[in-house]
Amino acid sequence: MSSPDLLSGLLQGNRRALARTITLLESQKKTHQQEARVLLEHILPHTGNAFRIGISGTPGVGKSTFIETFGLHLIGQGLKVAVLAVDPSSAVSGGSILADKTRMERLSSRPEAFIRPSPSAGVLGGVALHTREVMLACEAAGFDVILIETVGVGQSETVVSRLTDVFVLLTLPNAGDDLQAVKRGIMEVVDLILINKADLLPEEANLTQVQLESALRLQQSLAKVLQISALQGTHMEKVWSHLKSWQAQHQAQILHRRQVQQEAWFEDHLKALVWQQFLEQVNPERWASLREQTRTGKMDPVSAAHLLLEDTHGEKHLPENH
Ligand SMILES: Nc1nc2c(ncn2[C@@H]2O[C@H](COP(=O)(O)OP(=O)(O)OP(=O)(O)O)[C@@H](O)[C@H]2O)c(=O)[nH]1
Ligand SMILES: [Mg+2]
């Protein structure tokens, strides 16, 4: 597929074109990266129209189950749903995502849904940067809602808040840790808390809701708390209508978040480019030798880092081949 064909296929929502675009965006090859950049430039004017929803929570809380049920609910409303997974911690993600695809079997078999695992940690600029590009490709392909799933550890919450309009936390009827986190004010980014598995422990779910609501009030947070059962599919419409009215009421805040995210994107990309340039210019033997010297205590790491950078810059100033 040539680039113009790829772009027009993508804009028509062709899945093969979307898959090919993502492969290109994630490619480590220099020639692909050039092509990807041009493509991204053409994609950008067609992005920004989706509702970007971040979903986080501890392992086993029911994120995948929720995404499947909620995703199917959205499809039932005539929407197209893309699911992206972010796992900033790891190379380990591969396996769990495969398992997830089988778990989200009903959703992944629908033509209105697209499920994309986390890219490998080795991609240029890391997982967050790539997830953003994949998200934009999905928007250009006409997806209306982007669900970005992460495991709830501090770092991934930050990653998700760098990408999404709204942040949803899934918790359990007896999850004291999340309550403590809200009480200590470290849940600043959360906009909606869903107490999942309310079918199992209805009384605890009620109590947790009261506790969470009062903790949020004390933190002057406007976040809302709802009870759901992802497994039984209860209250999916309530969740969606809450999110839609949240979106309508927070237009200015969403715009502001997106502006901050654009700036962070620029910075992240710049850092990635500088690092890539460094890797291309560095003398690997010199690097290995300095690493060995720091390991054995012959040189202190700070001086070694400065030395390597100076050497590398030195090489950059050598006459170029033009
Ligand atoms: N009873 C009940 N079980 C649920 C509910 N939601 C999820 N489960 C079960 O909880 C288990 C874990 O659900 P997952 O959706 O895989 O959880 P997850 O948060 O995606 O887990 P990780 O991907 O490992 O982080 C599964 O056995 C689900 O069937 C619910 O609302 N009620
Ligand atoms: Mg999961």
Side-chain angles (χ1 to χ4, degrees):
M1 230 184 276
S2 74
S3 279
D5 288 349
L6 189 55
L7 183 67
S8 73
L10 182 72
L11 297 180
Q12 284 161 24
N14 178 305
R15 296 179 76 90
R16 241 171 44 101
L18 177 59
R20 170 90 188 100
T21 300
I22 292 173
T23 308
L24 209 56
L25 292 172
E26 287 180 351
S27 174
Q28 305 274 40
K29 282 198 198 142
K30 260 261 141 110
T31 51
H32 283 175
Q33 285 173 6
Q34 178 67 21
E35 207 181 322
R37 207 179 81 198
V38 175
L39 187 62
L40 193 62
E41 242 173 69
H42 287 99
I43 287 175
L44 281 176
H46 306 278
T47 62
N49 295 323
F51 190 10
R52 306 164 177 172
I53 303 173
I55 294 160
S56 191
T58 48
V61 69
K63 296 178 296 295
S64 304
T65 311
F66 170 72
I67 287 172
E68 162 135 305
T69 314
F70 188 58
L72 287 167
H73 179 80
L74 297 180
I75 287 174
Q77 311 279 309
L79 297 165
K80 287 177 73 185
V81 182
V83 179
L84 313 179
V86 175
D87 187 350
S89 60
S90 84
V92 190
S93 67
S96 78
I97 294 307
L98 265 185
D100 254 6
K101 261 201 135 172
T102 34
R103 231 174 280 165
M104 295 189 217
E105 212 167 329
R106 286 184 299 150
L107 188 62
S108 59
S109 67
R110 296 292 298 252
E112 306 92 334
F114 179 78
I115 300 180
R116 182 72 189 177
S118 182
S120 68
V123 294
L124 171 67
V127 169
L129 211 54
H130 271 264
T131 304
R132 166 172 288 280
E133 292 179 359
V134 173
M135 173 175 85
L136 296 173
C138 290
E139 290 186 356
F143 286 90
D144 307 292
V145 180
I146 315 281
L147 302 176
I148 302 187
E149 176 190 353
T150 58
V151 175
V153 284
Q155 199 197 356
S156 58
E157 279 162 24
T158 323
V159 170
V160 160
S161 70
R162 280 184 157 219
L163 296 169
T164 58
D165 298 328
V166 66
F167 185 82
V168 180
L169 178 78
L170 258 65
T171 189
L172 293 170
N174 48 10
D177 284 355
D178 287 336
L179 181 62
Q180 289 311 318
V182 171
K183 281 187 178 163
R184 294 208 311 273
I186 56 174
M187 279 291 179
E188 270 169 58
V189 291
V190 72
D191 301 299
L192 173 64
I193 299 182
L194 300 177
I195 304 174
N196 191 34
K197 308 196 190 182
D199 56 299
L200 288 180
L201 299 164
E203 277 171 29
E204 283 88 339
N206 287 337
L207 182 63
T208 300
Q209 176 160 8
V210 172
Q211 290 172 328
L212 279 171
E213 282 168 347
S214 96
L216 287 165
R217 254 194 317 275
L218 280 176
Q219 294 294 330
Q220 295 179 333
S221 163
L222 298 173
K224 193 165 167 151
V225 185
L226 298 174
Q227 294 183 33
I228 59 165
S229 165
L231 195 65
Q232 297 178 349
T234 47
H235 300 314
M236 292 301 126
E237 181 47 35
K238 210 161 154 189
V239 173
W240 180 229
S241 58
H242 175 77
L243 285 171
K244 269 193 306 187
S245 63
W246 187 93
Q247 186 189 33
Q249 286 161 15
H250 292 80
Q251 300 278 6
Q253 192 177 337
I254 292 174
L255 185 68
H256 175 71
R257 280 187 188 176
R258 287 188 175 192
Q259 283 173 347
V260 172
Q261 289 164 356
Q262 287 285 106
E263 204 180 318
W265 183 18
F266 165 66
E267 303 253 320
D268 287 350
H269 202 86
L270 188 62
K271 282 183 206 159
L273 289 178
V274 170
W275 180 243
Q276 196 183 36
Q277 200 176 50
F278 169 76
L279 292 179
E280 282 162 13
Q281 289 170 352
V282 71
N283 178 334
E285 286 99 46
R286 177 77 170 135
W287 194 354
S289 132
L290 284 169
R291 193 187 291 123
E292 178 62 16
Q293 289 180 54
T294 54
R295 198 175 63 83
T296 53
K298 290 203 182 95
M299 194 184 294
D300 73 276
V302 175
S303 307
H306 277 278
L307 210 58
L308 185 63
L309 192 63
E310 277 158 27
D311 282 7
T312 310
H313 277 166
E315 287 190 13
K316 198 179 90 184
H317 295 308
L318 289 174
E320 306 246 10
N321 51 349
H322 52 67

